Amino acid sequence: MEGKAAINTVQTPEAGIGKRMRKFFISVSDLSAFTLRFVKEAFTPKYEIYEFIKQAYLVGYQSFPLVAITGFIMGLVLTIQSRPTLAQFGAESWLPAMVAVSIVREIGPVITALIFAGKVGSGIGAELASMKVTEQIDAMEVSGANPFKYLVVTRTLATTLMLPVLVVASDGISLFGAYVGCNLKGDVSFKLFFLQVFDKLTFSDVFPATIKTFFFGLAVGLIACYKGYNSNKGTAGVGESANASVVYGSLCIFIIDMIAVQFTSLFN
Amino acid sequence: MGKMVAEIEGLQKSFGDHVVLADISLHLEEGENLVIFGKSGSGKSVLIKCLVGLIVPDGGSITLLGTDITELSVPDLNKLRKKVGFLFQSAALYDSMTVRENLEFPLRDQKELTQAEIDALVLEALTNVGLEDAIDKMPVELSGGMKKRIGLARTLILKPEIILYDEPTTGLDPITAKEISRLILDVQKKYNTAAIIITHDVECARITANRMMVIKDGKCAAEGTFDELAASEDELVNSFFK
Ligand SMILES: Nc1ncnc2c1ncn2[C@@H]1O[C@H](COP(=O)(O)OP(=O)(O)OP(=O)(O)O)[C@@H](O)[C@H]1O
Ligand SMILES: [Mg+2]
């Protein structure tokens, strides 16, 4: 009965939208339940320490080179691009401080998180989906283990804790890139550059920016695990899960960023 | 009649409108090999997944080792699951782990075991399946038959009282298939385990079965010993033996 009704409703666009809305809300509630389960299982013993450390290492190690290269280029390019505008106002001496603020506040966290979602999110999504498809997750379950704890909790915690570390590293490398950029035209000593940077960079720049990266990491990990763990479309689902992990992970990063900016301006 | 280790009563399961198991009842005695025949898609895998609680049935009762699994809490169910081995159709080896780590996985929360004891258990399980050399290999380096045997070793490591085999010989050449069937028989003899063996391989059934069952349309269509079913006049039953 329901099957027939569904076929009929697809014909009209309004009903199609209704169906999509329903699907959307179902996945939102599923994801919320998944998140709750994550929180619950993350705080109940026993803890999978070794697997967590392994995942944290893998997550950090895998994405560090990529993050480092993009960080350097970002700092360099941003400096080169900003120089002419500042020069017009005769404010070239502001260059280090201005670039530093934009890197630390916004560009560093967001770009690093996006790269992280692309590299780590897709990896987790594909890995868990293929484990699901080949019944490895079922096998863990029937051996009396808790696959949610072993796979989802460790990976999500790893992304949550490692992304901030990567962002801090990337910020540092970006600032070095900016220093190189400043020295392409003009001449600033290393010491003077960083004096100018830290003169303008305040705690209220660094702190909220770091806090939001925890949420970025949490979102990337949770979404990738959710998409992988609930994959059920065979081998085709593996690619789909990897893809969805990146797309929704990235989208979530921007949404969290928007919320974070509202919060920060509220307190400033 | 021996002690009952598993009992299914009026089991039902549908996916949407699609009725997979309509009304299945079966029982398994201690130390007995029960072979289940059924066409592809007849719900054999669903049946044994219901037995270990991987799939929640719509109706009926499942009693494993004297406890009704539908009423168990998750920790109790997990405890019970350690006494039930499950060999997956695809072997389901963890492909990010070596063979050794695969075998150690089910032992992880047995804190009282020392590393030496774990090593001994791993070696014993591998010796049982004749693959001691593969201990440091990754699953991708193994052939299909080796994977099945490692899967069996991983199942055996907890010394289960019941083993559920999902198509242990499918996709293997006749010689390897026969080896696996012999292995199943050896395990039964050595550890006195009860087993449900799902297959459409007549040779495997001939070697392993104490009793057989045929499933059709989500119901039990025939039951008996291998010889009884082989001599059956029933068209469906007959078709498996050709
Ligand atoms: N998770 C699921 N969702 C929807 N339908 C399912 C699911 N699992 C199994 N089915 C359906 O149940 C039926 C029985 O599947 P099952 O895997 O038990 O078959 P089988 O008897 O093991 O076949 P085979 O010999 O090919 O392994 C199939 O028609 C399948 O479409
Ligand atoms: Mg099957």
Side-chain angles (χ1 to χ4, degrees):
Chain A
M1 289 294 279
E2 238 188 68
K4 263 187 197 150
I7 289 167
N8 287 334
T9 49
V10 178
Q11 319 276 319
T12 61
E14 299 84 15
I17 289 170
K19 210 178 154 196
R20 276 195 199 175
M21 290 278 278
R22 215 180 107 203
K23 232 177 114 187
F24 171 77
F25 284 116
I26 287 175
S27 37
V28 167
S29 79
D30 275 357
L31 183 59
S32 314
F34 193 81
T35 310
L36 279 182
R37 183 166 174 204
F38 163 74
V39 173
K40 206 182 114 212
E41 304 239 11
F43 290 105
T44 47
K46 57 187 244 299
Y47 306 106
E48 300 282 355
I49 308 281
Y50 286 110
E51 181 65 12
F52 164 71
I53 293 172
K54 185 177 152 199
Q55 289 305 326
Y57 170 75
L58 282 178
V59 159
Y61 175 81
Q62 273 176 356
S63 33
F64 181 74
L66 211 60
V67 162
I69 294 170
T70 39
F72 181 80
I73 295 175
M74 251 162 26
L76 184 74
V77 170
L78 201 62
T79 313
I80 297 173
Q81 299 272 37
S82 312
R83 184 189 287 280
T85 322
L86 284 179
Q88 275 179 8
F89 298 104
E92 264 182 291
S93 63
W94 276 74
L95 192 56
M98 205 206 80
V99 172
V101 167
S102 38
I103 284 173
V104 169
R105 274 199 173 183
E106 189 58 34
I107 297 175
V110 170
I111 301 274
T112 310
L114 289 177
I115 288 173
F116 191 77
K119 176 89 187 159
V120 175
S122 64
I124 292 177
E127 187 191 9
L128 293 196
S130 72
M131 287 186 79
K132 176 86 182 187
V133 170
T134 55
E135 299 181 312
Q136 293 175 50
I137 293 182
D138 287 345
M140 284 189 179
E141 199 154 345
V142 293
S143 75
N146 182 345
F148 193 94
K149 209 164 209 155
Y150 186 78
L151 300 170
V152 174
V153 173
T154 54
R155 280 165 178 73
T156 307
L157 282 181
T159 57
T160 311
L161 296 180
M162 288 314 284
L163 183 57
V165 176
L166 285 169
V167 168
V168 168
S170 155
D171 284 355
I173 295 167
S174 281
L175 289 180
F176 179 70
Y179 165 72
V180 173
C182 280
N183 273 308
L184 287 179
K185 262 188 185 177
D187 181 21
V188 193
S189 82
F190 198 70
K191 201 173 157 197
L192 181 63
F193 176 83
F194 278 96
L195 267 179
Q196 287 184 343
V197 165
F198 287 109
D199 191 37
K200 286 289 175 299
L201 210 56
T202 59
F203 181 73
S204 63
D205 294 318
V206 179
F207 186 68
T210 313
I211 294 297
K212 74 179 174 192
T213 58
F214 281 98
F215 288 97
F216 290 170
L218 181 70
V220 169
L222 262 181
I223 289 172
C225 286
Y226 171 75
K227 285 289 172 191
Y229 203 77
N230 293 315
S231 162
N232 57 4
K233 295 205 195 109
T235 357
V238 175
E240 218 170 273
S241 295
N243 187 289
S245 301
V246 179
V247 173
Y248 295 112
S250 308
L251 189 65
C252 234
I253 288 168
F254 284 111
I255 294 173
I256 293 172
D257 196 43
M258 192 174 72
I259 298 170
V261 92
Q262 303 293 335
F263 255 97
T264 336
S265 53
L266 214 71
F267 288 112
N268 281 351
Chain B
M1 227 164 47
K3 203 178 105 196
M4 215 68 98
V5 288
E7 224 176 337
I8 294 179
E9 211 57 67
L11 189 70
Q12 296 168 352
K13 179 69 197 176
S14 313
F15 293 101
D17 295 343
H18 177 40
V19 179
V20 178
L21 304 177
D23 176 18
I24 299 255
S25 299
L26 64 81
H27 61 97
L28 183 69
E29 286 169 31
E30 200 173 23
E32 173 192 44
N33 277 349
L34 171 65
V35 169
I36 297 181
F37 268 7
K39 251 174 48 188
S40 185
S42 59
K44 304 178 299 297
S45 299
V46 171
L47 170 67
I48 55 170
K49 282 182 182 168
C50 286
L51 251 175
V52 289
L54 274 181
I55 294 179
V56 180
D58 300 335
S61 74
I62 301 172
T63 315
L64 262 189
L65 300 168
T67 33
D68 186 344
I69 69 151
T70 47
E71 286 168 4
L72 285 182
S73 66
V74 175
D76 288 338
L77 181 61
N78 279 341
K79 238 177 255 163
L80 189 63
R81 278 169 169 167
K82 293 205 179 287
K83 297 183 189 159
V84 182
F86 196 119
L87 183 65
F88 282 85
Q89 200 163 346
S90 56
L93 298 182
Y94 309 131
D95 39 41
S96 61
M97 305 182 197
T98 65
V99 167
R100 182 201 297 276
E101 288 162 344
N102 261 282
L103 295 191
E104 283 175 355
F105 192 87
L107 301 171
R108 315 169 352 98
D109 36 299
Q110 258 130 302
K111 291 274 188 299
E112 70 279 5
L113 291 177
T114 65
Q115 190 57 42
E117 284 170 325
I118 291 178
D119 288 346
L121 281 172
V122 168
L123 201 66
E124 182 193 341
L126 282 178
T127 316
N128 277 331
V129 299
L131 281 176
E132 303 91 313
D133 301 339
I135 188 159
D136 289 317
K137 290 214 164 86
M138 296 300 284
V140 281
E141 301 171 71
L142 305 174
S143 72
M146 287 163 92
K147 276 187 197 155
K148 284 254 160 104
R149 285 198 274 173
I150 298 295
L152 181 55
R154 189 177 67 188
T155 312
L156 290 178
I157 203 156
L158 287 173
K159 307 259 164 63
E161 294 172 39
I162 305 172
I163 303 183
L164 309 172
Y165 297 93
D166 196 351
E167 310 205 7
T169 60
T170 306
L172 303 177
D173 65 273
I175 299 168
T176 318
K178 211 162 178 171
E179 277 173 24
I180 301 261
S181 307
R182 289 254 149 76
L183 212 52
I184 293 174
L185 200 63
D186 289 346
V187 168
Q188 184 201 14
K189 296 262 155 65
K190 194 164 172 185
Y191 299 108
N192 191 35
T193 50
I196 294 180
I197 301 153
I198 283 173
T199 184
H200 3 237
D201 177 0
V202 181
E203 200 52 40
C204 174
R206 190 203 309 279
I207 295 173
T208 56
N210 298 120
R211 195 158 54 90
M212 294 189 60
M213 231 176 97
V214 178
I215 290 182
K216 192 196 175 210
D217 297 332
K219 290 199 181 83
C220 170
E223 202 183 332
T225 63
F226 181 85
D227 293 331
E228 282 166 15
L229 290 194
S232 165
E233 303 279 300
D234 189 281
E235 203 178 322
L236 170 86
V237 177
N238 225 308
S239 60
F240 284 105
F241 291 89
K242 274 188 201 134

